[in-house]
Amino acid sequence: MEQALKSSVWRTVGLSPVNCGRWWWGVRYCSTWEQRPPPFAPPAAGGDEEGPPRGRNGSGQLPPPALPEVSRAVADSCASHEGLAPQRQPPPWHKSYERGARQAAPANREPWSSREGGFSKARKRLERKPLSIERTKGSEILFGIAPCSLALSQSRRDLFRLFLKESSGSRRLVTSEFVLQATARGVPVHHVKRRELDALCRGQVHQGVCLEATPLRFKSLEEAEKPDLGDEESPNRQLIWLVLEQIQDPMNLGALLRSAYFLGVDRVVTSQRNSCPLTPTVSKASSGAMEVFDVYSTDDLRSFLKAKTAEGWEVVGTVSKPEDVENVPVISCLAFRWNKPVIIVIGSEGDGLSLETQLLCHRMLAIPPGRALHPGIESLNVSVATGILLHSICSQKLRHGD
């Protein structure tokens, strides 16, 4: 009987048995549901005559047979969204039911899961917050292996505390060396987490080491003129001083000090006005050269250059564009020859040497480019250009046997 009913349905809707498995389930479900009486309908008291009209127009006709009703259900299912079975409310445990419930929730009501995630993120932020380390008044934080190690080995700063990152493995040797240096100087050692070191040096590259110490200051030119320079003042020695006019970038100043120390410059003098001070960033950029190399300063650079000229020194300026210089001869750094004490004057990053300083120079040096330059990239970084000039000049001193 059931097989005959299936065949009738297939013929009615024009479907094949291969594609009707799930359709037939919907047909049975719908037909069974429609044939059930209403759950709370009162029974008819007087037979068929007193019950509700059985026909569509109340004429008392019998209802249509089951097969057409089943066919209507199948047709309705064909017009449904899925095309397989009539749409129905999913059970409460189904994912689509939960999705519908979330969509129907009030807009101003935040789900508990998101609130719980917010609490978790806030708790993690509190856990990541570094511990506050109070610094000694008037101190600064050196950072990096080379600056901290050289500051510990010298006696130019007052040292307060050494901070080392909690580490293991290959860094234990570096840590133990710092502990030995600090112990020899009587400096307390604190092992802290990386985030504490990041907070101490404000996110700079500390390499796992920070040192609290007093700042370094420029030395005055009066100290540089004292007769305790040893054989530097001997008449047979070629002296070279580097003068910096308004160098403002600490990275450039550190790189200049590193090159000057490496290439054998005897003194570095900076102008006090509009110049970068000796900060921990300068020490890190100099790879610690600032910790062992004296840096001098003057508040009257022009008077200083005039005085050195009167003493027999040659003052040589630098320029990136020879056509911008007037009344001063410009030569290539490769053609420069020197046989007496010389001062190399370097200008600021943006403007170069001021006009007043240029007029105090005997000659101007330029670096010849290796190709035709594109407009906008016709000059070098000030620290790179200074390194090239110093190497060109200091190599002559080496060839003379000094």
Side-chain angles (χ1 to χ4, degrees):
M1 180 65 181
E2 183 178 356
Q3 184 63 31
L5 183 57
K6 289 182 180 179
S7 301
S8 301
V9 171
W10 296 337
R11 288 194 300 272
T12 303
V13 298
L15 298 174
S16 64
V18 178
N19 300 326
C20 264
R22 193 169 178 185
W23 286 51
W24 177 246
W25 181 88
V27 169
R28 294 188 60 186
Y29 176 82
C30 296
S31 61
T32 305
W33 178 264
E34 292 182 4
Q35 291 176 7
R36 292 177 183 175
F40 299 104
D48 293 342
E49 293 77 11
E50 297 181 5
R54 301 183 62 184
R56 190 178 303 175
N57 53 4
S59 60
Q61 296 179 357
L62 293 175
L67 183 57
E69 189 69 26
V70 172
S71 300
R72 184 183 60 80
V74 175
D76 292 342
S77 66
C78 292
S80 65
H81 178 70
E82 297 182 357
L84 295 177
Q87 295 182 350
R88 61 190 185 278
Q89 184 70 17
W93 58 85
H94 200 270
K95 292 183 179 180
S96 59
Y97 183 90
E98 297 177 358
R99 183 168 58 251
R102 287 196 300 269
Q103 293 175 355
N108 58 354
R109 181 178 299 175
E110 184 180 5
W112 169 253
S113 59
S114 61
R115 283 182 290 170
E116 185 179 6
F119 295 153
S120 177
K121 291 180 181 179
R123 183 171 64 253
K124 290 181 180 180
R125 284 196 298 268
L126 291 175
E127 292 175 356
R128 288 196 301 265
K129 186 176 180 181
L131 299 176
S132 177
I133 299 177
E134 294 185 2
R135 284 169 40 185
T136 306
K137 185 178 180 180
S139 68
E140 66 182 13
I141 300 296
L142 285 176
F143 53 90
I145 293 177
C148 294
S149 178
L150 291 172
L152 284 168
S153 65
Q154 303 297 311
S155 301
R156 305 177 66 194
R157 296 176 182 262
D158 293 334
L159 308 178
F160 301 109
R161 287 177 293 180
L162 176 67
F163 300 94
L164 298 175
K165 176 189 171 185
E166 297 175 351
S167 59
S168 59
S170 60
R171 293 190 58 86
R172 284 185 175 179
L173 180 60
V174 176
T175 301
S176 61
E177 291 177 356
F178 272 102
V179 171
L180 290 176
Q181 283 184 298
T183 303
R185 291 287 305 272
V187 179
V189 179
H190 301 270
H191 296 272
V192 298
K193 296 184 181 297
R194 183 184 183 87
R195 60 177 180 267
E196 275 76 41
L197 293 176
D198 293 340
L200 278 172
C201 64
R202 299 181 180 179
Q204 300 288 342
V205 182
H206 50 70
Q207 300 175 296
V209 184
C210 287
L211 178 64
E212 185 181 17
T214 54
L216 280 181
R217 307 296 182 187
F218 291 111
K219 288 192 173 184
S220 64
L221 281 175
E222 287 74 15
E223 297 178 77
E225 299 296 339
K226 288 182 180 179
D228 59 352
L229 300 178
D231 60 349
E232 289 185 357
E233 297 295 340
S234 63
N236 296 327
R237 179 175 173 81
Q238 288 179 294
L239 298 177
I240 179 170
W241 285 18
L242 180 65
V243 174
L244 308 176
E245 183 183 35
Q246 300 183 10
I247 298 296
Q248 301 176 2
D249 190 335
M251 301 297 291
N252 283 335
L253 180 57
L256 285 166
L257 294 179
R258 184 175 184 178
S259 297
Y261 177 77
F262 182 85
L263 294 172
V265 172
D266 298 293
R267 288 286 183 269
V268 175
V269 181
T270 69
S271 59
Q272 288 184 2
R273 183 173 176 269
N274 295 331
S275 294
C276 176
L278 298 178
T279 64
T281 302
V282 175
S283 183
K284 182 65 167 61
S286 72
S287 192
M290 192 184 85
E291 305 299 324
V292 298
F293 193 41
D294 290 331
V295 185
Y296 299 85
S297 178
T298 177
D299 57 353
D300 191 351
L301 184 60
R302 295 174 184 84
S303 297
F304 163 73
L305 294 177
K306 291 177 181 179
K308 301 307 288 183
T309 300
E311 295 176 8
W313 289 61
E314 183 176 8
V315 179
V316 179
T318 55
V319 63
S320 59
K321 297 180 180 180
E323 60 273 13
D324 294 343
V325 180
E326 298 180 2
N327 303 324
V328 181
V330 181
I331 63 172
S332 168
C333 63
L334 302 177
F336 176 75
R337 297 293 181 266
W338 59 304
N339 52 12
K340 58 182 178 180
V342 62
I343 292 178
I344 307 298
V345 188
I346 306 296
S348 64
E349 293 92 343
D351 301 327
L353 288 178
S354 62
L355 180 60
E356 294 82 0
T357 303
Q358 289 183 24
L359 296 176
L360 295 175
C361 297
H362 300 96
R363 286 183 283 182
M364 303 290 287
L365 300 182
I367 301 174
R371 57 155 47 95
L373 301 177
H374 192 280
I377 47 176
E378 301 170 322
S379 62
L380 292 169
N381 173 268
V382 63
S383 63
V384 174
T386 303
I388 295 173
L389 292 170
L390 290 178
H391 180 267
S392 176
I393 296 172
C394 293
S395 60
Q396 298 180 33
K397 181 171 63 174
L398 295 176
R399 287 196 297 268
H400 292 164
D402 291 336

